[in-house]
Amino acid sequence: MAENNYEKQIQELNEKLKELRDFSQQHDIDLTQEIQKLEDKVHALSKEMNENLTVWQQVQLARHQERPTTLDYISHIFNDFIELHGDRLFADDPAIVGGIGFLNDTPVTIIGHQKGKNTKENVYRRFGMPQPEGYRKALRLMQEANKFNRPIITFINTAGAFPGKEAEERGQSEAIARNLREMAGFKVPIISIVIGEGGSGGALALGVGNRIFLLENSFYSVISPEGAAALLWKDASKAQQAAETMKITADDLLELKIIDGIIPEPEGGAHKNIEQQAASIKQFIETTLSDFSSLTNEDIIEQRYQKFRHIGVFEK
């Protein structure tokens, strides 16, 4: 985040910390007190940064290049994961990953948008923007989970569905709409977690959940801030102003009753400590599945229906 002065200060202090530790080790000099003071300062600055983030800085954190992806969380949360490929109609879409794994001893189906960690990976995965075959792959896996009574966990992180001509020709809108319809009627609990960007129908196609959670610095919106700015002011450079107007942060969405809870992030963002972040997500998943363990299939469907019937806050 170029405009976040906190990150620059923290980076500089961390560099000084490394120099002190190296100097202490190389020359066998006890610098414990000096190192502790610097560590305390880094901690204080990180805490202050978390408490004073602007909406646009949260958007930038949600898009951070090092932010953990779906596959990162799968490897830290679930056991014996087997990735499944293809929609059995056209192709395999690398922008969506999914398969079967175990949450402790419980078999679950996990599906999520997948971004890359560098330019080559992002080009291959189209920056996490799926085509119709991606949504049809996700639906195939969810239908299988429904058949074998496995809970469904979805990780959402996309700017939106891929906007290319070929995606429209292959039925992008129909694929998203079919997912919305089918997910509404599944008899197994669905937990949807926004781990970064949650953009438009591309996100909603994995988001018809009994519970929807956002990581603390994620956002969920009908359109990207840049897209909203281009529509409202004919100027995409006003994205920061649009983001502040749209009420897209976790705190805003919880207040508006769009989501069911906020999963805290480590100081500085999820990318600073993936083990801690994954542990927090796992705890939310375990607690939620426990809440649904005593419900019948009909109760689960009804709860999801009522959730979306009453979602949001409005004034007449």
Side-chain angles (χ1 to χ4, degrees):
M1 297 187 300
E3 78 243 50
N4 189 350
N5 192 44
Y6 285 108
E7 274 211 342
K8 291 180 181 178
Q9 293 180 58
I10 292 169
Q11 185 177 354
E12 290 170 1
L13 286 173
N14 278 326
E15 289 171 359
K16 289 179 181 177
L17 264 172
K18 185 178 185 304
E19 291 174 7
L20 272 181
R21 290 190 182 108
D22 290 344
F23 185 85
S24 175
Q25 189 173 10
Q26 290 169 7
H27 298 277
D28 196 23
I29 298 174
D30 186 6
L31 297 174
T32 304
Q33 289 185 343
E34 289 77 6
I35 290 172
Q36 185 62 51
K37 286 178 182 178
L38 272 181
E39 287 177 342
D40 291 343
K41 194 168 183 180
V42 169
H43 177 74
L45 271 175
S46 297
K47 185 177 180 181
E48 188 176 344
M49 181 184 77
N50 271 22
E51 292 172 351
N52 293 288
L53 285 174
T54 67
V55 173
W56 188 241
Q57 286 170 342
Q58 285 185 285
V59 169
Q60 296 300 93
L61 263 182
R63 295 169 169 173
H64 200 289
Q65 183 66 33
E66 297 177 13
R67 197 165 178 86
T69 66
T70 294
L71 288 175
D72 290 329
Y73 288 126
I74 286 174
S75 66
H76 281 81
I77 296 173
F78 305 97
N79 304 317
D80 301 323
F81 176 72
I82 301 173
E83 185 176 353
L84 302 175
H85 298 272
D87 66 343
R88 301 298 185 265
L89 291 169
F90 181 76
D92 183 50
D93 187 346
I96 284 186
V97 296
I100 304 167
F102 284 86
L103 179 72
N104 302 323
D105 297 324
T106 303
V108 294
T109 290
I110 312 112
I111 303 164
H113 300 95
Q114 181 64 28
K115 293 184 177 182
K117 290 295 184 67
N118 53 49
T119 302
K120 184 178 180 180
E121 286 182 12
N122 269 320
V123 169
Y124 170 64
R125 297 192 184 275
R126 290 188 309 280
F127 294 85
M129 294 186 289
Q131 293 186 331
E133 50 270 23
Y135 294 116
R136 290 173 181 141
K137 172 170 70 172
L139 179 59
R140 179 175 75 83
L141 298 181
M142 289 189 282
Q143 288 171 332
E144 180 191 66
N146 189 57
K147 178 178 180 180
F148 292 102
N149 206 36
R150 288 194 298 268
I152 298 168
I153 317 296
T154 68
F155 292 101
I156 296 170
N157 188 16
T158 183
F162 186 70
K165 177 185 175 184
E166 63 273 25
E168 295 298 332
E169 289 174 343
R170 293 200 297 274
Q172 184 78 288
S173 300
E174 186 275 341
I176 292 172
R178 184 181 293 269
N179 277 27
L180 303 184
R181 185 189 71 182
E182 295 297 317
M183 289 181 78
F186 286 148
K187 65 184 181 180
V188 297
I190 303 173
I191 302 172
S192 299
I193 303 169
V194 181
I195 59 174
E197 296 183 85
S200 191
L204 193 58
L206 297 184
V208 186
N210 294 85
R211 293 282 188 274
I212 303 172
F213 300 112
L214 253 70
L215 296 196
E216 187 177 356
N217 294 310
S218 297
F219 68 93
Y220 199 25
S221 63
V222 297
I223 192 172
S224 69
E226 291 83 359
L231 287 175
L232 292 173
W233 299 294
K234 312 300 181 187
D235 185 357
S237 67
K238 293 186 177 180
Q240 183 172 344
Q241 183 179 345
E244 292 167 355
T245 304
M246 291 165 66
K247 302 291 185 183
I248 60 176
T249 67
D251 288 334
D252 290 328
L253 295 169
L254 185 62
E255 184 179 348
L256 292 170
K257 300 181 181 178
I258 303 295
I259 63 173
D260 299 290
I262 299 171
I263 301 176
E265 294 190 22
E267 290 179 356
H271 60 288
K272 295 295 185 180
N273 191 331
I274 185 173
E275 289 81 11
Q276 181 182 336
Q277 187 62 80
S280 296
I281 293 174
K282 184 176 182 180
Q283 183 178 6
F284 269 75
I285 294 173
E286 290 172 338
T287 302
T288 304
L289 288 182
S290 177
D291 292 341
F292 283 93
S293 62
S294 61
L295 298 184
T296 66
N297 295 339
E298 291 73 19
D299 289 338
I300 290 170
I301 295 171
E302 181 64 18
Q303 186 277 331
R304 192 183 305 123
Y305 171 76
Q306 291 299 333
K307 171 184 172 57
F308 282 90
R309 285 285 294 170
H310 297 95
I311 202 167
V313 174
F314 64 93
E315 294 179 1
K316 292 185 179 179

